[in-house]
mmCIF file of all heavy atoms in Angstrom:
data_model
loop_
_atom_site.group_PDB
_atom_site.id
_atom_site.type_symbol
_atom_site.label_atom_id
_atom_site.label_comp_id
_atom_site.label_asym_id
_atom_site.label_seq_id
_atom_site.Cartn_x
_atom_site.Cartn_y
_atom_site.Cartn_z
ATOM 1 N N HIS A 94 149.052 -63.052 -100.821
ATOM 2 C CA HIS A 94 149.860 -63.928 -101.536
ATOM 3 C C HIS A 94 150.055 -63.557 -102.992
ATOM 4 O O HIS A 94 149.059 -63.025 -103.563
ATOM 5 C CB HIS A 94 149.392 -65.354 -101.376
ATOM 6 C CG HIS A 94 149.177 -65.850 -100.106
ATOM 7 N ND1 HIS A 94 150.280 -66.159 -99.164
ATOM 8 C CD2 HIS A 94 147.987 -65.967 -99.288
ATOM 9 C CE1 HIS A 94 149.692 -66.458 -97.947
ATOM 10 N NE2 HIS A 94 148.415 -66.402 -98.080
ATOM 11 N N PRO A 95 151.145 -63.888 -103.642
ATOM 12 C CA PRO A 95 151.257 -63.554 -105.075
ATOM 13 C C PRO A 95 150.237 -64.158 -105.931
ATOM 14 O O PRO A 95 149.766 -63.468 -106.932
ATOM 15 C CB PRO A 95 152.628 -64.212 -105.429
ATOM 16 C CG PRO A 95 153.381 -64.168 -104.055
ATOM 17 C CD PRO A 95 152.362 -64.472 -103.044
ATOM 18 N N GLN A 96 149.727 -65.420 -105.637
ATOM 19 C CA GLN A 96 148.623 -65.897 -106.481
ATOM 20 C C GLN A 96 147.342 -65.055 -106.379
ATOM 21 O O GLN A 96 146.702 -64.970 -107.408
ATOM 22 C CB GLN A 96 148.298 -67.343 -105.960
ATOM 23 C CG GLN A 96 149.397 -68.386 -105.993
ATOM 24 C CD GLN A 96 150.223 -68.277 -104.618
ATOM 25 O OE1 GLN A 96 150.331 -67.341 -103.949
ATOM 26 N NE2 GLN A 96 150.866 -69.428 -104.437
ATOM 27 N N GLU A 97 147.087 -64.589 -105.216
ATOM 28 C CA GLU A 97 145.926 -63.525 -105.173
ATOM 29 C C GLU A 97 146.248 -62.296 -105.879
ATOM 30 O O GLU A 97 145.256 -61.757 -106.533
ATOM 31 C CB GLU A 97 145.695 -63.230 -103.677
ATOM 32 C CG GLU A 97 145.272 -64.437 -102.831
ATOM 33 C CD GLU A 97 145.231 -64.072 -101.279
ATOM 34 O OE1 GLU A 97 145.749 -63.078 -100.957
ATOM 35 O OE2 GLU A 97 144.642 -64.920 -100.583
ATOM 36 N N ALA A 98 147.427 -61.837 -105.930
ATOM 37 C CA ALA A 98 147.771 -60.664 -106.766
ATOM 38 C C ALA A 98 147.586 -60.975 -108.185
ATOM 39 O O ALA A 98 146.998 -60.070 -108.873
ATOM 40 C CB ALA A 98 149.321 -60.304 -106.501
ATOM 41 N N TYR A 99 147.926 -62.161 -108.688
ATOM 42 C CA TYR A 99 147.644 -62.378 -110.094
ATOM 43 C C TYR A 99 146.193 -62.339 -110.349
ATOM 44 O O TYR A 99 145.737 -61.769 -111.427
ATOM 45 C CB TYR A 99 148.203 -63.692 -110.522
ATOM 46 C CG TYR A 99 149.648 -63.895 -110.727
ATOM 47 C CD1 TYR A 99 150.479 -64.649 -109.985
ATOM 48 C CD2 TYR A 99 150.152 -63.138 -111.782
ATOM 49 C CE1 TYR A 99 151.886 -64.728 -110.337
ATOM 50 C CE2 TYR A 99 151.577 -63.141 -112.111
ATOM 51 C CZ TYR A 99 152.354 -64.004 -111.320
ATOM 52 O OH TYR A 99 153.679 -64.071 -111.585
ATOM 53 N N LYS A 100 145.341 -62.853 -109.474
ATOM 54 C CA LYS A 100 143.958 -62.934 -109.713
ATOM 55 C C LYS A 100 143.321 -61.375 -109.713
ATOM 56 O O LYS A 100 142.533 -61.133 -110.600
ATOM 57 C CB LYS A 100 143.253 -63.653 -108.608
ATOM 58 C CG LYS A 100 141.769 -63.893 -108.819
ATOM 59 C CD LYS A 100 141.225 -64.921 -107.776
ATOM 60 C CE LYS A 100 139.787 -65.272 -108.183
ATOM 61 N NZ LYS A 100 139.285 -66.265 -107.408
ATOM 62 N N LEU A 101 143.899 -60.598 -108.784
ATOM 63 C CA LEU A 101 143.454 -59.198 -108.775
ATOM 64 C C LEU A 101 143.946 -58.448 -110.047
ATOM 65 O O LEU A 101 143.099 -57.652 -110.535
ATOM 66 C CB LEU A 101 144.004 -58.461 -107.531
ATOM 67 C CG LEU A 101 143.311 -59.060 -106.211
ATOM 68 C CD1 LEU A 101 144.074 -58.620 -104.924
ATOM 69 C CD2 LEU A 101 141.814 -58.593 -106.112
ATOM 70 N N TYR A 102 145.099 -58.648 -110.460
ATOM 71 C CA TYR A 102 145.539 -58.037 -111.750
ATOM 72 C C TYR A 102 144.718 -58.479 -112.860
ATOM 73 O O TYR A 102 144.347 -57.708 -113.764
ATOM 74 C CB TYR A 102 147.069 -58.327 -112.013
ATOM 75 C CG TYR A 102 147.970 -57.460 -111.204
ATOM 76 C CD1 TYR A 102 148.966 -58.032 -110.382
ATOM 77 C CD2 TYR A 102 147.902 -56.098 -111.286
ATOM 78 C CE1 TYR A 102 149.891 -57.202 -109.741
ATOM 79 C CE2 TYR A 102 148.787 -55.267 -110.600
ATOM 80 C CZ TYR A 102 149.765 -55.831 -109.778
ATOM 81 O OH TYR A 102 150.674 -55.021 -109.060
ATOM 82 N N SER A 103 144.245 -59.850 -112.904
ATOM 83 C CA SER A 103 143.385 -60.249 -114.007
ATOM 84 C C SER A 103 142.089 -59.542 -113.987
ATOM 85 O O SER A 103 141.363 -59.543 -114.938
ATOM 86 C CB SER A 103 143.226 -61.748 -114.025
ATOM 87 O OG SER A 103 142.363 -62.087 -112.943
ATOM 88 N N HIS A 104 141.610 -58.955 -112.837
ATOM 89 C CA HIS A 104 140.452 -58.277 -112.756
ATOM 90 C C HIS A 104 140.696 -56.761 -112.862
ATOM 91 O O HIS A 104 139.821 -55.938 -112.447
ATOM 92 C CB HIS A 104 139.698 -58.596 -111.407
ATOM 93 C CG HIS A 104 139.055 -59.889 -111.422
ATOM 94 N ND1 HIS A 104 139.639 -61.111 -111.141
ATOM 95 C CD2 HIS A 104 137.786 -60.209 -111.728
ATOM 96 C CE1 HIS A 104 138.744 -62.046 -111.257
ATOM 97 N NE2 HIS A 104 137.665 -61.561 -111.662
ATOM 98 N N LYS A 105 141.760 -56.328 -113.425
ATOM 99 C CA LYS A 105 142.152 -55.029 -113.644
ATOM 100 C C LYS A 105 142.567 -54.066 -112.607
ATOM 101 O O LYS A 105 142.427 -52.820 -112.597
ATOM 102 C CB LYS A 105 140.945 -54.308 -114.508
ATOM 103 C CG LYS A 105 140.401 -55.051 -115.681
ATOM 104 C CD LYS A 105 141.391 -55.161 -116.736
ATOM 105 C CE LYS A 105 140.888 -55.728 -118.056
ATOM 106 N NZ LYS A 105 141.688 -56.720 -118.597
ATOM 107 N N ALA A 106 143.115 -54.648 -111.528
ATOM 108 C CA ALA A 106 143.710 -53.828 -110.468
ATOM 109 C C ALA A 106 144.839 -53.130 -111.161
ATOM 110 O O ALA A 106 145.620 -53.659 -111.947
ATOM 111 C CB ALA A 106 144.202 -54.730 -109.269
ATOM 112 N N ASP A 107 145.107 -51.821 -110.790
ATOM 113 C CA ASP A 107 146.233 -51.086 -111.277
ATOM 114 C C ASP A 107 147.529 -51.414 -110.608
ATOM 115 O O ASP A 107 148.631 -51.344 -111.137
ATOM 116 C CB ASP A 107 145.918 -49.546 -111.203
ATOM 117 C CG ASP A 107 144.792 -49.112 -112.165
ATOM 118 O OD1 ASP A 107 144.992 -49.305 -113.383
ATOM 119 O OD2 ASP A 107 143.722 -48.746 -111.739
ATOM 120 N N TYR A 108 147.339 -51.699 -109.263
ATOM 121 C CA TYR A 108 148.551 -52.125 -108.456
ATOM 122 C C TYR A 108 147.988 -52.999 -107.336
ATOM 123 O O TYR A 108 147.006 -52.683 -106.824
ATOM 124 C CB TYR A 108 149.352 -50.904 -107.982
ATOM 125 C CG TYR A 108 150.656 -51.393 -107.307
ATOM 126 C CD1 TYR A 108 151.719 -51.739 -108.103
ATOM 127 C CD2 TYR A 108 150.746 -51.394 -105.912
ATOM 128 C CE1 TYR A 108 152.860 -52.082 -107.445
ATOM 129 C CE2 TYR A 108 151.919 -51.792 -105.306
ATOM 130 C CZ TYR A 108 152.988 -52.164 -106.048
ATOM 131 O OH TYR A 108 154.196 -52.548 -105.459
ATOM 132 N N VAL A 109 148.836 -54.011 -107.001
ATOM 133 C CA VAL A 109 148.364 -54.881 -105.823
ATOM 134 C C VAL A 109 149.640 -54.839 -104.862
ATOM 135 O O VAL A 109 150.727 -55.035 -105.145
ATOM 136 C CB VAL A 109 148.173 -56.358 -106.254
ATOM 137 C CG1 VAL A 109 147.852 -57.197 -105.087
ATOM 138 C CG2 VAL A 109 147.123 -56.429 -107.356
ATOM 139 N N ILE A 110 149.306 -54.502 -103.683
ATOM 140 C CA ILE A 110 150.135 -54.441 -102.552
ATOM 141 C C ILE A 110 150.182 -55.839 -101.933
ATOM 142 O O ILE A 110 149.251 -56.338 -101.579
ATOM 143 C CB ILE A 110 149.785 -53.451 -101.453
ATOM 144 C CG1 ILE A 110 149.579 -51.995 -101.946
ATOM 145 C CG2 ILE A 110 150.763 -53.462 -100.304
ATOM 146 C CD1 ILE A 110 148.713 -51.214 -101.117
ATOM 147 N N ILE A 111 151.406 -56.426 -101.932
ATOM 148 C CA ILE A 111 151.631 -57.735 -101.218
ATOM 149 C C ILE A 111 152.579 -57.343 -100.072
ATOM 150 O O ILE A 111 153.784 -57.252 -100.371
ATOM 151 C CB ILE A 111 152.201 -58.783 -102.112
ATOM 152 C CG1 ILE A 111 151.388 -58.814 -103.471
ATOM 153 C CG2 ILE A 111 152.209 -60.099 -101.398
ATOM 154 C CD1 ILE A 111 152.073 -59.631 -104.540
ATOM 155 N N PRO A 112 152.108 -57.147 -98.927
ATOM 156 C CA PRO A 112 152.887 -56.578 -97.799
ATOM 157 C C PRO A 112 154.377 -57.217 -97.626
ATOM 158 O O PRO A 112 155.309 -56.532 -97.563
ATOM 159 C CB PRO A 112 152.064 -56.774 -96.528
ATOM 160 C CG PRO A 112 150.668 -56.665 -97.099
ATOM 161 C CD PRO A 112 150.770 -57.412 -98.459
ATOM 162 N N HIS A 113 154.408 -58.523 -97.565
ATOM 163 C CA HIS A 113 155.761 -59.142 -97.339
ATOM 164 C C HIS A 113 156.706 -58.958 -98.519
ATOM 165 O O HIS A 113 157.841 -58.726 -98.373
ATOM 166 C CB HIS A 113 155.636 -60.509 -96.868
ATOM 167 C CG HIS A 113 155.140 -61.568 -97.968
ATOM 168 N ND1 HIS A 113 153.836 -61.752 -98.197
ATOM 169 C CD2 HIS A 113 155.803 -62.316 -98.752
ATOM 170 C CE1 HIS A 113 153.702 -62.637 -99.090
ATOM 171 N NE2 HIS A 113 154.808 -62.992 -99.516
ATOM 172 N N LEU A 114 156.107 -58.897 -99.790
ATOM 173 C CA LEU A 114 157.042 -58.706 -100.937
ATOM 174 C C LEU A 114 157.370 -57.160 -101.042
ATOM 175 O O LEU A 114 158.620 -56.866 -101.280
ATOM 176 C CB LEU A 114 156.274 -59.073 -102.263
ATOM 177 C CG LEU A 114 156.086 -60.544 -102.485
ATOM 178 C CD1 LEU A 114 155.375 -60.853 -103.720
ATOM 179 C CD2 LEU A 114 157.428 -61.290 -102.417
ATOM 180 N N THR A 115 156.339 -56.297 -100.758
ATOM 181 C CA THR A 115 156.654 -54.907 -100.734
ATOM 182 C C THR A 115 157.646 -54.592 -99.741
ATOM 183 O O THR A 115 158.619 -53.758 -100.005
ATOM 184 C CB THR A 115 155.365 -54.036 -100.495
ATOM 185 O OG1 THR A 115 154.444 -54.476 -101.579
ATOM 186 C CG2 THR A 115 155.571 -52.589 -100.637
ATOM 187 N N GLY A 116 157.592 -55.165 -98.536
ATOM 188 C CA GLY A 116 158.600 -54.918 -97.483
ATOM 189 C C GLY A 116 159.975 -55.336 -97.878
ATOM 190 O O GLY A 116 160.954 -54.697 -97.637
ATOM 191 N N GLY A 117 160.072 -56.529 -98.581
ATOM 192 C CA GLY A 117 161.343 -57.016 -99.067
ATOM 193 C C GLY A 117 161.984 -56.091 -100.121
ATOM 194 O O GLY A 117 163.137 -55.773 -100.207
ATOM 195 N N GLN A 118 161.135 -55.579 -101.023
ATOM 196 C CA GLN A 118 161.612 -54.608 -102.022
ATOM 197 C C GLN A 118 162.155 -53.308 -101.331
ATOM 198 O O GLN A 118 163.065 -52.753 -101.826
ATOM 199 C CB GLN A 118 160.455 -54.214 -103.043
ATOM 200 C CG GLN A 118 160.093 -55.421 -103.878
ATOM 201 C CD GLN A 118 158.757 -55.164 -104.622
ATOM 202 O OE1 GLN A 118 157.848 -54.441 -104.151
ATOM 203 N NE2 GLN A 118 158.753 -55.686 -105.881
#
Side-chain angles (χ1 to χ4, degrees):
H94 305 285
Q96 300 87 336
E97 294 171 349
Y99 279 120
K100 189 170 188 173
L101 292 165
Y102 280 125
S103 75
H104 283 86
K105 308 293 188 226
D107 292 295
Y108 186 78
V109 180
I110 304 159
I111 310 166
H113 67 276
L114 290 181
T115 304
Q118 291 169 325

